[in-house]
Each structure stands twice: as structure tokens, then as C-alpha cells.
Amino acid sequence: SEKSLNRPKKDQVISFKKRICKMMKKYHEFYDEISEKELFKGLLGFGLFAEKIPNFLSSEFFFEYIEKETFPYNDKIPKDYIRYSSMRNINIPRPLAIPEPFSYANQVKILVDNWIKIREYFKNKTKNDKHKVSRIHLRKLKKKNVLFEMNYKNFDEDGDPENKLYINSKYVVNVDIATCFPSIYSHAISWSLVGKEEAKKKSKNCFKEEWFNQIDFYTRNLKYGETNGILIGPHSSNLISEIILCCIDKELIEKGYKFYRNIDDYTCYTSSFADSEKFIFDISNILKKYELSLNSKKNKIVKLPQASVVNWVSKLRHFYFKDVYKTKDNKEGIKLKDLKGFLDFVIEIMLENNNDAAILKYGIKRVAKKYLSEKAKEYYIDKIHHLTLLYPYLVLILEEFVFEIHNISLEKIKDISIDLYNLGRNKNNYELCSYAIYFSLKYNLKLESVSEKFKNDAIESEDCIFLMIAYIYDKRNNDKKYLKEYKELAKELIKNDFERFWLFCYEILSQGELKREYKKLKLNKISFIKQEFLK
């Protein structure tokens, strides 16, 4: 028809070209999008504190202060770091770290100063990739300064390689690296960037200033100068791990394997069982070159075809809510009977899958998209209250996917917080104690029945985050004389164990009681605590 012969409008052509460009983007091009300035701000201003820590901390003001400073700092002495444990979906804690901030600033600045070289390195290592092998890595996010999140692996720009990888494949292999971040050998950074032979040749004192040795040096400085392991938590570690892991990817691609990687988890498609075994053998040998190894307990070879998503995900997605109705604002509502059926179904599937609390998390996120009547909401919050005490991993999503989305009453949040605190206290789970106090601060609640225990419990715990947030609560709700013991502890820690408690000591002590760069930082009224929690 005449209409079909019309030329497309200019903006349609531009839009189409943009979509094609997005589809064709390679892994390294995501790094090309990030400028040196954006890398500096993203890693230092929004990547110092792990996402799993209660959201009362920020390094944004610290970044603005550091931006005006001269680098690197003269103090090159290796530093210790703050320890923090966060519960995983299998009810086992994962150790997280908060690095000493000035050492972290040094590491970030070295990465920024060499960002052009690092981007070129990624380009060379990934130029032969037919799809984006690494699915979770630093990237520029829309309307956000943060450069790393765990929940964007299905970005449209990444494409979905699985459908293509299936073709001519009869088996799928799943493997992962054993304790990846804690096992990374810092010298492997240099080995990856310039080759092992070149790195070893230039590892002597006279070559200390080589850019790759500087990255190694300032990465070691975050972990007390140790060569084994990088910290889990700061976002720079995700960049460091990619430097090493994309080198491993390249060797696997050169051997002809079809695979993708989610941080340290590999999924490879093969044409025979023998090829699947060969993949495991080959990746094991390549990992040895970088002082890494596979977690042999998780090696798995499965015959194809298989479902395109994890079986439990598919089941939950297709759960049928019978009595769905529309609210005035066009939200989908579910009735109490359907809600009960869905939650029972979620729990049943979780029990079939080794008590994996990630299944509960998925179910909670699905309910978050629904409107609940008052009766349904009352039942739901009681059920979540019960489940969180059984599976503390769920505490990480309560604020966003339960309290806020369903407009839960302050009284109920208070009840949950008190129970979380008591459970954490009994189990020495200081993450639960910290979250309980965080909720009380966030929603301006007084936890009278347990708050008298905060100070003594926090001091006995020797947990920096618990100490910090307990102090904030007591400062807000109690007479200032009550804070004396916190301050006495901070004075002791600054003498004997400052770096493991730098946040607590810095925020509590006065300028005159602090040393070196912290004194100047305090003079400039920089705080790592978000302003709304200081009121």
C-alpha cells in the first residue's frame, strides 16, 4: 500500500538504531560508558557500604570531601577493616567488610587513574565474545550513582544468550568457584592485567610504581596487607574480581566452550557428557593458574532439555489466584483464601528445595505487587512475622517489600522489631539486633521493653554496626549521661583496635580525641551517618 511505502520518521529511525546498538553492546562497552569521574563517585560515594547493611550509612559526604584532596595519601600502612555478618538464604552467615575509608579512597583513586588502561584490558579480553559472558558487573545505571547491584542480571541491554547456547547442546554444566572473593590472590590482579611472566619480572621494589603493582598494593592495603582474599562488600572488589575472572573466561572461550557467568557461578552448554566433564577439568586447571579452585560439591551435569527457569520459579509464576479483583487505582487485589493458598504453596516448595529462603523472598516480592484487604493484610503480616523469625534472611527485604508497600502499622513494626531483637540477642545474631534498632529509628519507634539492653548488649558484642546503631538510638531517646560508656569504649578502641571500629570511634569522639586525617575530617563536619538518623 501507499502507506507502507512511506519512509519512517527521523525519530523512529533514531529509536530503532538505539535499540540495535543496545542489542549489539559487548561486555566492555558497559565499562566504556563509565567515565573516570563517574567511577570515582560511584565506587567511593556509593560503594563503600554493602547493600546488606542496614541503610543508615552513606559515604557521599566523604566522597565530596575526598574529591578536593591530594592522592594518594602518604600513609601507605596496611589497614584492618570492620567485620559484619549477613545471613544468607541457607541460614548461614556471610562475612562482609567495611574498609578503612582513607585506604579505600586510595584504592579507588588508583583504579580511576588507570581506568583507561583497565577499560582497554576488558576490551581486549572480551573482543571475541559472541555474547556477554559476565552477567553481573559494574555498569552505569539509570538515574543512579551506584555502579553495582545484584539484581540487574536480566537487563534488556544484556540480551539472553541461553536460547542460542541451547542449540546443538545436549547437556548443561553448573560449577562455581570455591569461596571466590576470600580466595583471590592479590598478585593475580597483576598476572591478569599484564601476564604472569611480566608481572613476576616487575614485582621487585624497583617496579613498585608500575600501575598494575599499584592496584595490587592498594587492594592488599584494605585487608591488612594480606595477599590472600579481597573484601566482600565494597564495590571496588567486584571490579577487581572481574579483572581476574574475565581472564579465565577468555581462556574458556578460546577452547570453544559456550557459557555465561554470574559473578563466580558458571553455566556451560555442551554436546556430550564427555565434553561436560572436560569443561570441569579445563576450568579447574585454568583456575589453578590464579590460585583458585572449584567448589566440587556444587558441580552438576544435567541432560537437556530442561526448563528455561528454575523449576520453583516457574511454579510460583504460574500460581493461579482465583478471586482476583481490581481496586480503584487499578491494582490487582487478592482475597484472604487465595493469599493463604499461595503462601502455603510457597512454603511447600521451599521445603522441597532444602529450606532455601530465596523461595520465600520471591513469594514475598510477588505478593508486594498485589493489594491486600485489611483481613488479608492482618493474616499476611502475622505470617511474615513468624517466617522472619524462622528465616532471618528475610529481614533484608521487610522494609521495601512488606512494611512500605503494604502500609503496615507502626505498632506491628514495633512488635516485629522487638521479637527480632530478642532472637538476635539469644542467637548472637547481631545483624537482627541492628535491623531491629534500624527499624525503630526509621519509623521513630521506642522499643521500651528491650531498649535498656541495647548499650550492654552492643558493648559485649564487639560488633561495630550494632554499637553504632545502638549509640544512635540511645542518643536520640535517652539522657546524654547514658552515653558515657559508649564514649569510654571508643577511647579504648582508638588506642588498641581503631581500624576494626573506625566508624564507631570517629562518629562518637570529638575532633581533639581523633588522630591524623580523621581530625581534619571531623573539622569539616563530615559524617557517615545519614542526616535523617542524626535528628
Side-chain angles (χ1 to χ4, degrees), residues 426-444:
N426 292 334
K427 299 283 187 181
N428 291 335
N429 183 336
Y430 305 126
E431 179 184 39
L432 285 183
C433 295
S434 300
Y435 264 99
I437 301 173
Y438 167 73
F439 293 144
S440 74
L441 293 169
K442 170 82 176 179
Y443 299 106
N444 200 25

